[in-house]
Amino acid sequence: MSNVIIVGAQWGDEGKGKIVDYLTESADVVIRAQGGSNAGHTVINDGKKYILHLIPSGILWEGKTCVIGNGVAMDPVGLLGEIDTLEQQGITITPDRLMISDRAHLTLPYHREIDGLREADLGDAKIGTTKRGIGPTYADKANRVGLRMIDTTDIESFATRFRSRMEDCNELLEAAGLEEMDLEKIGAEVLAAIERLRPFMKNTMAYLDEAMKSGSNLLFEGAQGTYLDIDHGTYPFVTSSNTTSGGACTGAGFPPNRIDQVVGVCKAYTTRVGSGPFPTEDDEFGDYLHGMGREFGATTGRERRCGWLDAVLLRQSVIVNGIDELAVTNLDGLDQMDSVRICTHYEIDGENVELPPASLDVFAKGKPVYAEMPGWKTDISKARDWDSLPEGAQNFIKKLEEILGVPVTMIGVGPDRAQTILRNP
């Protein structure tokens, strides 16, 4: 397996948690390199559901080491709650199983308050963030005023700086006519969480270098998706970090020339959360998926916007991430459709467009042009190999490969770890 990056090829929520969980069997170390508690991964194994936000999916496997890298916006109270929840589910988490980079920036309560204030100020033009404070955390990082894990080694200095930032935020809340934060209560909660988490802190860059040199297999777990990347996504309707494969290297302190493979993950259709253009969005198709109990956010519980599979998006994802192979999840979500579609290109002002425009105004004018194929009208959730899939499902996958020029090597036919088909095209 060597060193592999898993990256979302759409707007996030592609089922990366399941793919990472599946590949972790061959990995020794699983790393999160960016994002924060706004990124929810749902993993189902033996009918048991685990929802992860900051901790890599590899924590569900015994004998695997998990790393929260320097590029992650790390919420200490949220992470501690996640640890406690997993331990209640029977997952043991110790400092030799979970490591937190000493360079990771901290998401603190005032970041969440600022996030909410900024979204409210935007009104109808709001980004649609999860209001978990991720954007303000990265803003502090870029402005060079952030607080990092390493700062907690001098707890008195940290507490002074933390309180000062809380007081500044309370002034903003007061000016907006909103309830102020309880400095004593919140301060005590944050400092208690940090005390419990400090044993997990480590120079993770050095650890990953040692692990690589000793022959360990490293798996980099992407959070969110390509079109939420702050540089390459549908800006400004994006997150605040680099969610593409390059971000995995900078966010973990790992050299790009030591990456052996990039695996892109996409659904057999397209979803997104929040505002922004979505050419293949189809309300009727969305109602069908929601009616099945699908496509509700793991972090927020809100309905996702849904549409047909968009190969225009995927085509650029292949380019920017250097995707070597694709994992297609949720193929079973199309089981009851009479026909299935893949958008091959957009029509914009009479011209065929094969890559997403940088201008959102132009992007929003895109009219999807579809390749339409017969559906299979068969429950595929029990299929465990390629030959068990009906011809219509096989043709759908083959058409996607033809359009993108990239092999599909993994196919998800259900949420459980066992509902994964491996393929060698």
Side-chain angles (χ1 to χ4, degrees):
M1 176 180 155
S2 300
N3 305 320
V4 178
I5 296 175
I6 305 295
V7 64
Q10 297 162 312
W11 276 293
D13 307 313
E14 300 97 346
K16 297 180 296 298
K18 174 188 172 175
I19 300 302
V20 171
D21 177 65
Y22 193 89
L23 292 177
T24 297
E25 185 172 8
S26 302
D28 301 297
V29 185
V30 184
I31 306 103
R32 267 288 301 277
Q34 50 74 221
S37 57
N38 57 337
H41 285 171
T42 301
V43 178
I44 298 177
N45 183 36
D46 292 333
K48 196 169 184 178
K49 185 176 183 179
Y50 303 90
I51 296 180
L52 305 165
H53 298 284
L54 285 161
I55 300 177
S57 305
I59 203 70
L60 304 179
W61 288 79
E62 290 291 338
K64 312 295 181 180
T65 302
C66 292
V67 171
I68 295 175
N70 55 274
V72 175
M74 208 279 288
D75 178 347
V77 175
L79 177 59
L80 190 60
E82 195 171 330
I83 289 172
D84 289 343
T85 297
L86 287 171
E87 290 194 328
Q88 289 168 11
Q89 293 179 287
I91 308 296
T92 302
I93 301 178
T94 57
D96 62 337
R97 293 203 64 208
L98 177 66
M99 300 177 186
I100 304 169
S101 170
D102 51 9
R103 291 169 170 81
H105 278 253
L106 299 178
T107 297
L108 297 163
Y110 56 81
H111 290 123
R112 292 193 294 273
E113 297 292 343
I114 292 170
D115 206 352
L117 285 170
R118 288 179 178 172
E119 278 288 271
D121 285 345
L122 289 172
D124 292 339
K126 64 178 182 285
I127 303 301
T129 78
T130 57
K131 300 179 185 177
R132 296 295 181 94
I134 310 306
T137 303
Y138 283 119
D140 278 359
K141 178 178 180 177
N143 287 327
R144 299 180 291 277
V145 296
L147 291 168
R148 303 185 298 167
M149 271 299 290
I150 192 63
D151 296 322
T152 68
T153 53
D154 184 343
I155 199 64
E156 290 186 8
S157 173
F158 174 85
T160 299
R161 295 173 64 189
F162 171 55
R163 187 178 181 89
S164 175
R165 297 297 300 276
M166 293 275 283
E167 290 170 348
D168 291 344
C169 184
N170 269 351
E171 290 181 8
L172 296 175
L173 292 171
E174 182 183 15
L178 299 173
E179 183 180 356
E180 297 178 35
M181 293 177 287
D182 185 329
L183 299 184
E184 301 306 322
K185 179 181 178 182
I186 292 176
E189 183 181 31
V190 169
L191 293 178
I194 284 170
E195 286 296 329
R196 283 187 58 188
L197 292 175
R198 192 177 293 113
F200 295 86
M201 182 172 65
K202 191 178 184 70
N203 181 342
T204 54
M205 175 185 64
Y207 170 78
L208 293 177
D209 181 62
E210 292 170 4
M212 174 187 66
K213 290 175 178 176
S214 69
S216 294
N217 293 322
L218 276 56
L219 183 62
F220 296 82
E221 173 181 316
Q224 298 140 327
T226 295
Y227 290 93
L228 295 177
D229 185 282
I230 195 164
D231 288 304
H232 303 290
T234 47
Y235 188 90
F237 301 103
V238 293
T239 191
S240 302
S241 62
N242 288 112
T243 59
T244 40
S245 59
C249 294
T250 55
F254 194 80
N257 64 336
R258 295 294 184 265
I259 297 297
D260 299 295
Q261 188 177 31
V262 178
V263 178
V265 185
C266 69
K267 285 175 179 164
Y269 45 89
T270 309
T271 65
R272 77 171 299 177
V273 172
S275 306
F278 186 173
T280 67
E281 185 171 17
D282 186 305
D283 290 340
E284 185 177 348
F285 182 57
D287 290 342
Y288 157 78
L289 291 169
H290 296 145
M292 297 168 65
R294 293 172 178 256
E295 302 311 332
F296 295 89
T299 298
T300 63
R302 59 184 169 181
E303 287 185 352
R304 297 178 183 131
R305 298 163 62 190
C306 303
W308 294 102
L309 185 59
D310 190 338
V312 178
L313 298 179
L314 297 179
R315 193 177 283 121
Q316 182 155 294
S317 288
V318 169
I319 294 171
V320 73
N321 292 297
I323 291 173
D324 297 299
E325 59 186 73
L326 274 174
V328 176
T329 65
N330 291 266
L331 185 62
D332 56 306
L334 303 178
D335 281 355
Q336 301 307 314
M337 304 303 299
D338 292 320
S339 61
V340 291
R341 294 175 168 184
I342 301 176
C343 172
T344 58
H345 58 278
Y346 305 151
E347 185 181 297
I348 300 177
D349 296 332
E351 295 186 6
N352 290 342
V353 175
E354 293 196 342
L355 295 173
S359 165
L360 290 199
D361 291 337
V362 177
F363 199 155
K365 294 194 294 184
K367 297 180 180 178
V369 178
Y370 291 108
E372 190 159 354
M373 294 156 279
W376 43 93
K377 302 287 286 184
T378 302
D379 179 3
I380 63 171
S381 63
K382 294 181 175 59
R384 295 295 180 268
D385 56 56
W386 174 254
D387 292 336
S388 300
L389 289 174
E391 183 179 4
Q394 292 185 359
N395 289 340
F396 181 85
I397 295 297
K398 290 177 181 178
K399 184 64 176 178
L400 181 61
E401 291 179 319
E402 176 189 324
I403 294 169
L404 299 179
V406 174
V408 174
T409 59
M410 300 178 69
I411 302 166
V413 295
D416 199 89
R417 183 185 293 165
Q419 293 175 298
T420 308
I421 294 172
L422 297 183
R423 176 170 174 256
N424 185 20

